[in-house]
């Protein structure tokens, strides 16, 4: 094949997305840190699925339209740093093909290189040994091969791209010692290779599907003529402990196709394409109460109904607004107490998308809006939301933890200027030390430290400083490393997995050993037994 058109590109996208979805658990397992999260594979899968869904909904086979719709869908659906980088790759690709109905092999190679350059520009401090390296090295090597063999066709170019991506991926541990210590390759690069392998499979006449035969036809029918049903469900107390995702997924498949489920403590975020949205909602309601529901006619692209998380109020524009992100009812209430206008649900196990932040921005009637992501893997999605917002001044402060976000809120002054607030909040962020206690989900080695599954890890900023068999012991030892003679306040945030007795034990330890004030909050957050802030 000498030229690539929009119809063929759509087929490649279908196959690439299916392969990524099939392998997302494998990609998740490559995460270096043994923290219980649904990270890179899940984020990339959700991002690419959203982009493909928009392409399907648009219905056009024109290459510029497909590339543009894909780029927009990936941009709005981007989750986590890996998802944002993936969206930037295809944003650069789109910019290179805006006026082309077909691509020659040389033009396709040029578009892939443009995608790599765009992705690098999107990252303030690019790190080699990541998905960035894989897209750059593979696109450059494939272009070089094309220069030496100018007569190759589209299929051979993609084949070379895949092979070079695999070579680059296998080399990532040599560029990032942390990967080498853990004996894994980069997870983002692995996700990108899964997409490329899906592209190649389609061009070779063996497209990859998530299901087979009749199920695929049914899935397409649901997507084209059914309802895209999404909801956030708060599990009841009973189901928080006994909920079985596999059974719930099986139930959803009776009414729809390709369900996506993300659990974050007692919250479930669900998306499914179905011809019977009422049945899907009835199933979900058995397990708890809805916090948000959205049903969209896939053929028309119209929202059928939305049940918002809070009661609608008359929008009165004010000077400032604050949007923050966290997981846990206690933390949500705490941020609201500290002047947050809107709390985006999400965190380590459920990274919100660019569109989630765009939606939040629209709901905050303010001229100037500060966004506090509170997680390093959410910052890029928040920044993309700020970039696509034209009618408001959106400032993203790079808070990488909940304590940093709380400190920023406390230091916000509604009577000060934008610049003065930005300076004061940023200064507060810089003076907060963050510690976290969580458990390991697998055996691994990081920075020469052997970690066993089930160990409690003490994490300071991003460094795993210690491991213990007891969470209280881990918390106390981590505090020893965080508190110094300049420390004045310790914020102890209790998670779902920490008892009152354990909290009291930590408080007693602090009060007996250190001359600091202790502020205890019940964040009810998942994943982290304790979150510590020292100022």
């Amino acid at each position: 094949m000498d030229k690539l058109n929009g119809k063929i590109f759509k087929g490649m996208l279908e196959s690439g997305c299916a392969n990524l979805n099939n392998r997302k658990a494998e990609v998740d397992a490559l995460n270096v840190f043994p923290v219980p999260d649904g990270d890179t594979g899940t984020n990339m899968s959700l991002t690419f699925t959203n982009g493909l869904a928009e392409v399907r909904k648009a219905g056009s086979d024109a290459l510029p339209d497909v590339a543009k719709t894909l780029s927009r869908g990936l941009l709005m659906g981007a989750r986590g740093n890996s998802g944002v980088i993936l969206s930037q790759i295809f944003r650069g690709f789109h910019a290179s093909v805006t006026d082309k109905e077909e691509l020659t092999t040389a033009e396709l190679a040029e578009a892939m290189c443009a995608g790599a350059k765009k992705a690098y520009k999107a990252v303030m401090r690019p790190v080699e040994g990541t998905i960035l390296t894989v897209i750059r090295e593979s696109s450059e090597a494939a272009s070089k091969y094309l220069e030496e063999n100018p007569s190759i066709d589209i299929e051979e170019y993609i084949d070379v791209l895949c092979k070079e991506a695999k070579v680059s991926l296998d080399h990532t541990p040599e560029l990032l010692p942390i990967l080498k210590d853990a004996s894994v390759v980069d997870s983002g690069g692995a996700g990108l290779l899964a997409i490329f392998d899906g592209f190649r499979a389609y061009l070779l006449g063996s497209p990859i599907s998530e299901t087979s035969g009749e199920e695929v036809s049914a899935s397409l029918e649901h997507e084209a003529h059914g309802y895209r049903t999404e909801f956030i469900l708060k599990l009841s107390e009973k189901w928080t402990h006994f909920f079985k995702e596999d059974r719930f997924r099986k139930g959803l498949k009776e009414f729809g196709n390709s369900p996506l489920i993300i659990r974050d403590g007692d919250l479930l975020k669900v998306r499914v394409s179905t011809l019977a949205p009422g049945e899907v909602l009835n199933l979900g309601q058995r397990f708890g109460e809805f916090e948000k529901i959205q049903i969209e006619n896939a053929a028309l692209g119209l929202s059928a109904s939305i049940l918002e998380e809070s009661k609608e109020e008359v929008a009165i524009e004010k000077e400032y607004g604050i949007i923050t992100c966290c997981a846990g009812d206690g933390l949500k209430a705490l941020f609201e107490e500290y002047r947050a206008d809107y709390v985006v649900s999400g965190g380590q196990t459920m990274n919100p998308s660019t569109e989630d932040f765009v939606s939040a921005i629209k709901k905050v009637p303010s001229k100037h809006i500060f966004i506090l992501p509170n997680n390093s893997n959410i910052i890029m999605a928040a920044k993309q939301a700020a970039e696509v917002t034209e009618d408001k001044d959106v400032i993203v402060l790079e808070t990488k933890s909940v304590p940093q976000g709380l400190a920023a809120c406390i230091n916000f002054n509604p009577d000060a200027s934008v610049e003065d607030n930005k300076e004061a909040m940023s200064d507060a962020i810089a003076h907060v030390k963050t510690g976290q206690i969580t458990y390991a989900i697998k055996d691994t080695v990081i920075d020469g430290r052997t970690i066993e599954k089930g160990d409690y890890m003490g994490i300071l900023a991003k460094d795993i400083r210690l491991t213990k068999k007891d969470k209280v012991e881990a918390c106390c030892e981590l505090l020893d490393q965080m508190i110094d003679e300049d420390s004045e306040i310790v914020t102890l945030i209790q998670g779902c997995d920490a008892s009152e007795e354990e909290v009291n034990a930590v408080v007693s330890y602090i009060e007996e050993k250190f001359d600091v004030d202790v502020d205890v909050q019940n964040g009810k957050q998942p994943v982290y037994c304790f979150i510590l802030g020292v100022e």
Side-chain angles (χ1 to χ4, degrees):
M1 180 173 63
D2 295 326
K3 292 187 177 181
L4 176 71
N5 59 33
K7 187 174 182 179
I8 294 171
F9 186 49
K10 284 173 70 174
M12 292 166 61
L13 295 177
E14 293 277 359
S15 182
C17 186
N19 196 40
L20 175 60
N21 290 344
N22 291 343
R23 296 175 59 182
K24 66 180 179 181
E26 173 188 330
V27 176
D28 278 340
L30 293 172
N31 291 331
V32 173
F33 278 77
V35 177
D37 60 15
D39 204 4
T40 307
T42 299
N43 283 337
M44 294 183 74
S45 172
L46 290 171
T47 300
F48 208 79
T49 296
N50 192 75
L52 179 58
E54 293 302 313
V55 170
R56 289 169 175 167
K57 185 168 67 175
S60 174
D61 284 339
L63 181 61
D65 294 342
V66 174
K68 181 179 180 180
T69 306
L70 175 69
S71 175
R72 179 69 179 178
L74 292 176
L75 179 74
M76 298 304 289
R79 298 173 188 271
N81 294 340
S82 56
V84 172
I85 292 171
L86 182 63
S87 73
Q88 291 297 319
I89 291 172
F90 285 95
R91 194 176 183 186
F93 180 96
H94 162 242
S96 184
V97 304
T98 51
D99 58 347
K100 300 180 176 69
E101 291 296 331
E102 294 182 320
L103 297 180
T104 63
T105 306
E107 289 170 335
L108 175 59
E110 182 180 341
M112 294 307 303
C113 287
K117 291 176 182 177
K118 185 68 176 177
Y120 266 85
K121 287 181 180 179
V123 180
M124 187 174 296
R125 291 178 289 275
V127 176
E128 296 300 338
T130 65
I131 182 176
L132 291 171
T133 304
V134 175
I135 182 59
R136 176 180 58 80
E137 290 186 343
S138 61
S139 60
E140 289 179 352
S143 290
K144 184 177 180 180
Y145 182 87
L146 175 61
E147 291 175 7
E148 297 170 351
N149 303 273
S151 63
I152 65 171
D153 57 17
I154 300 290
E155 291 91 339
E156 188 172 354
Y157 167 79
I158 292 294
D159 183 62
V160 173
L161 183 70
C162 290
K163 290 176 179 177
E164 293 296 341
K166 180 67 165 60
V167 170
S168 179
L169 178 64
D170 289 343
H171 189 248
T172 54
E174 302 305 318
L175 300 175
L176 271 182
I178 194 169
L179 297 176
K180 193 168 188 177
D181 288 347
S183 300
V184 296
V185 294
D186 176 65
S187 53
L192 182 65
L193 177 58
I195 294 172
F196 286 172
D197 282 342
F199 287 179
R200 175 169 56 183
Y202 178 83
L203 293 175
L204 293 177
S206 302
I208 296 171
S209 301
E210 291 183 64
T211 51
S212 60
E214 297 177 2
E215 292 178 324
V216 172
S217 298
S219 175
L220 293 175
E221 180 183 355
H222 278 287
E223 186 65 42
H225 305 293
Y227 298 89
R228 191 174 298 111
T229 304
E230 300 182 29
F231 58 82
I232 296 176
L233 182 75
K234 182 177 176 62
L235 294 172
S236 66
E237 185 174 349
K238 170 187 174 182
W239 289 110
T240 297
H241 301 288
F242 296 105
F243 179 79
K244 301 294 184 184
E245 184 176 320
D246 290 344
R247 291 183 183 178
F248 185 59
R249 187 184 301 277
K250 185 177 180 180
L252 287 174
K253 285 184 176 180
E254 293 183 11
F255 307 113
N257 288 275
S258 304
L260 294 174
I261 304 170
I262 301 177
R263 182 172 182 181
D264 189 354
D266 59 355
L267 291 180
L268 281 184
K269 190 164 186 178
V270 178
R271 176 174 179 173
V272 62
S273 187
T274 177
L275 293 172
E279 297 292 347
V280 170
L281 296 181
N282 286 339
L283 175 63
Q285 199 167 23
R286 298 177 193 173
F287 300 92
E289 295 184 0
F290 295 112
E291 292 204 352
K292 182 176 181 180
I293 298 173
Q294 181 165 323
I295 302 172
E296 187 176 79
N297 187 313
L300 301 178
L302 299 177
S303 179
S305 69
I306 300 177
L307 173 63
E308 293 298 341
E309 294 170 325
S310 59
K311 296 179 180 179
E312 292 187 6
E313 299 177 356
V314 177
I316 301 175
E317 188 174 65
K318 55 182 183 175
E319 192 71 16
Y320 292 111
I322 295 176
I323 295 172
T324 190
C325 185
C326 68
D329 290 343
L331 286 177
K332 182 176 184 290
L334 186 59
F335 272 114
E336 289 173 344
E337 181 183 335
Y338 287 177
R339 297 194 186 97
D341 296 272
Y342 194 95
V343 179
V344 177
S345 179
Q348 189 67 27
T349 58
M350 186 170 67
N351 295 157
S353 67
T354 300
E355 190 167 19
D356 289 332
F357 282 111
V358 170
S359 178
I361 291 168
K362 291 178 180 177
K363 292 180 175 69
V364 176
S366 303
K367 296 177 183 177
H368 309 284
I369 297 176
F370 289 98
I371 297 183
L372 309 173
N374 304 333
N375 186 301
S376 60
N377 206 34
I378 297 176
I379 292 172
M380 290 184 73
K383 285 187 171 182
Q384 283 202 156
E387 181 183 334
V388 301
T389 301
E390 299 178 350
D391 57 342
K392 296 181 181 181
D393 175 33
V394 181
I395 305 107
V396 178
L397 298 181
E398 296 189 17
T399 51
K400 298 177 181 179
S401 68
V402 165
Q404 288 185 348
L406 293 172
C409 284
I410 292 171
N411 283 271
F412 168 74
N413 181 357
D415 297 321
S417 68
V418 174
E419 286 305 315
D420 285 348
N421 265 312
K422 185 176 179 180
E423 182 179 349
M425 295 166 79
S426 297
D427 186 59
I429 292 167
H431 286 86
V432 177
K433 299 176 187 176
T434 299
Q436 299 171 108
I437 305 298
T438 188
Y439 59 92
I441 59 170
K442 63 181 180 180
D443 296 339
T444 189
V445 177
I446 297 178
D447 293 331
R449 183 189 302 279
T450 300
I451 300 173
E452 296 181 357
K453 181 179 179 180
D455 283 352
Y456 287 97
M457 300 177 291
I459 303 172
L460 180 56
K462 278 193 160 185
D463 297 330
I464 298 177
R465 291 295 185 91
L466 58 95
T467 58
K468 297 289 180 180
K469 299 300 180 183
D470 178 78
K471 65 170 77 81
V472 171
E473 187 179 348
C475 187
C476 293
E477 187 168 321
L478 184 61
L479 284 165
D480 287 340
Q481 298 185 31
M482 296 176 66
I483 301 174
D484 56 32
E485 59 184 14
D486 296 323
S487 302
E488 298 178 351
I489 301 173
V490 174
T491 302
L492 175 64
I493 303 174
Q494 176 183 359
C496 295
D497 298 329
S499 67
E500 291 298 327
E501 292 77 12
E502 289 169 330
V503 170
N504 292 335
V506 175
V507 172
S508 296
Y509 180 84
I510 297 172
E511 292 178 340
E512 290 173 6
K513 188 168 183 179
F514 303 103
D515 182 21
V516 294
D517 292 328
V518 183
D519 178 25
V520 179
Q521 299 288 344
N522 189 355
K524 301 179 182 179
Q525 72 273 5
V527 181
Y528 297 102
C529 315
F530 298 107
I531 297 177
L532 310 169
V534 176
E535 302 174 64

